[in-house]
Amino acid sequence: MIKAKHAQIEFTNYCNLACVECPHRMMKRKKEHMSREVQQRVLEVLKPIELETIITHKDGEPLLHPEFPMIFRRLCAVKPKTKIDIYTNAYFLTPKVFHELGSYTVGNKVWFLVTMHGHKYDGTPYDFRKPSENVLDALNIIKENGWNNIEFIVSAHKTDYVSQEHMKMFYDYWMSVKAHSKAIHNVHANTHINPWGQRIEMKEGMVHYEACPYSDSNHLFIGVTGNVIPCCMDLEEEIIFGNIMTDDLKKIEKRRREFYAVMVENKVREHELCVKCLS
């Protein structure tokens, strides 16, 4: 059995945006939704693991999967005490979809982590009135239904196209919403950008990793086809420990543990992806 505290599952690698702070626009591997067969196997793999968190995202917008409400319902049924994080840009978090998702939660604590993306990679601004309206509608639905297990974290990133003044306006607005809604867990005005293995370039505010952030081996990453990979920075699945559809889980776990043991010792020269991330 695989041992982990957190599982990050890529149910789809499609996305409706092409944001300046995200490497998705550079991705060369095939874009697809996770099949029902892989979904079922994911549930079988996750069921015996004592997880603290399931993250329904890696590269892509989870709500673009046409069966996401069904996927979420099955996750809640199989792991009823596990916290579930839904990372989303909220463009598709309509009142209908949100009400459906909310009605499936049993003993789960659910966080919607909404990033209000400011600009496309070429500097074209996005209009986030629609996702903002969707979040506000969701807050009203939470209040109407008395759901105290669902919370939102709203965030935006400081990029080369966003001024400090705009970031302050964003922060002040959502903090004013938070003052009237217990369902807003937090508001983040992020001043740093993840370089994603040096794929993203910014003039300032780039994160630097002194060591592998996942070297404790407590994060399980499963890609859209069932590949088990080392981290969220592995955009192209350059490092694969095995596939849950075809490979023995004990062997996959052994490879995971051996990989992270090397990370602890900071011996990353055999993997170009890691060298770029930690350089």
Side-chain angles (χ1 to χ4, degrees):
M1 184 181 78
I2 293 176
K3 294 182 180 180
K5 290 183 179 180
H6 313 283
Q8 191 160 341
I9 315 299
E10 185 182 64
F11 289 108
T12 182
N13 57 17
Y14 280 102
C15 188
N16 55 306
L17 303 180
C19 303
V20 63
E21 69 268 39
C22 177
H24 182 274
R25 56 193 161 84
M26 306 171 188
M27 189 173 71
K28 296 181 175 61
R29 63 189 170 96
K30 181 181 177 182
K31 294 182 176 64
E32 54 192 314
H33 299 306
M34 183 178 284
S35 68
R36 289 187 179 180
E37 292 76 17
V38 179
Q39 292 172 35
Q40 178 59 36
R41 183 58 179 151
V42 165
L43 293 173
E44 292 169 356
V45 171
L46 296 186
K47 187 173 182 178
I49 306 176
E50 295 183 10
L51 290 169
E52 295 178 7
T53 313
I54 297 172
I55 301 167
T56 62
H57 157 84
K58 181 187 170 286
D59 297 305
E61 164 56 50
L63 297 182
L64 275 177
H65 196 301
E67 297 176 340
F68 186 77
M70 181 192 75
I71 293 169
F72 182 75
R73 180 182 63 191
R74 297 178 73 194
L75 275 176
C76 291
V78 170
K79 305 295 291 183
K81 296 181 180 180
T82 301
K83 177 174 170 285
I84 301 177
D85 289 352
I86 300 176
Y87 283 74
T88 178
N89 56 48
Y91 276 84
F92 302 96
L93 191 64
T94 62
K96 179 179 181 297
V97 169
F98 181 77
H99 194 280
E100 186 175 10
L101 295 175
S103 66
Y104 292 146
T105 62
V106 185
N108 306 87
K109 187 174 186 63
V110 180
W111 278 7
F112 285 85
L113 296 99
V114 178
T115 301
M116 300 292 179
H117 294 283
H119 293 79
K120 190 177 177 181
Y121 66 92
D122 61 3
T124 305
Y126 284 121
D127 182 354
F128 38 97
R129 283 177 295 182
K130 179 59 177 174
S132 297
E133 290 170 2
N134 285 341
V135 172
L136 295 175
D137 286 338
L139 296 176
N140 288 329
I141 293 171
I142 289 172
K143 185 176 181 180
E144 290 168 2
N145 287 274
W147 292 336
N148 58 12
N149 62 322
I150 303 176
E151 296 181 85
F152 278 76
I153 294 177
V154 184
S155 67
H157 289 91
K158 171 74 175 70
T159 70
D160 292 345
Y161 303 116
V162 179
S163 68
Q164 290 288 359
E165 181 182 1
H166 281 98
M167 288 294 285
K168 186 176 185 306
M169 289 171 61
F170 164 86
Y171 182 79
D172 289 346
Y173 172 76
W174 284 105
M175 285 300 291
S176 70
V177 174
K178 182 178 186 299
H180 296 90
S181 176
K182 294 180 180 179
I184 295 284
H185 181 83
N186 212 341
V187 179
H188 290 161
N190 295 320
T191 57
H192 291 81
I193 300 293
N194 187 339
W196 300 104
Q198 308 305 324
R199 287 187 171 93
I200 303 296
E201 295 182 6
M202 291 283 175
K203 294 177 182 177
E204 58 183 353
M206 298 303 292
V207 173
H208 174 70
Y209 295 108
E210 297 293 339
C212 175
Y214 301 109
S215 59
D216 61 5
S217 71
N218 279 325
H219 288 72
L220 170 65
F221 297 88
I222 302 179
V224 71
T225 63
N227 286 334
V228 178
I229 57 178
C231 71
C232 59
M233 268 79 84
D234 193 353
L235 180 70
E236 302 294 352
E237 298 189 343
E238 296 174 37
I239 305 169
I240 299 174
F241 302 133
N243 187 285
I244 61 171
M245 302 299 290
T246 58
D247 297 316
D248 182 77
L249 293 184
K250 290 182 179 179
K251 292 181 179 179
I252 291 175
E253 179 67 352
K254 184 174 183 293
R255 293 177 191 132
R256 284 182 72 247
R257 295 285 165 175
E258 290 174 347
F259 174 87
Y260 293 122
V262 171
M263 291 296 102
V264 170
E265 297 175 4
N266 265 337
K267 297 177 181 177
V268 299
R269 295 301 171 189
E270 61 183 296
H271 299 295
E272 184 180 359
L273 173 70
C274 302
V275 171
K276 288 181 179 179
C277 185
L278 298 172
S279 62

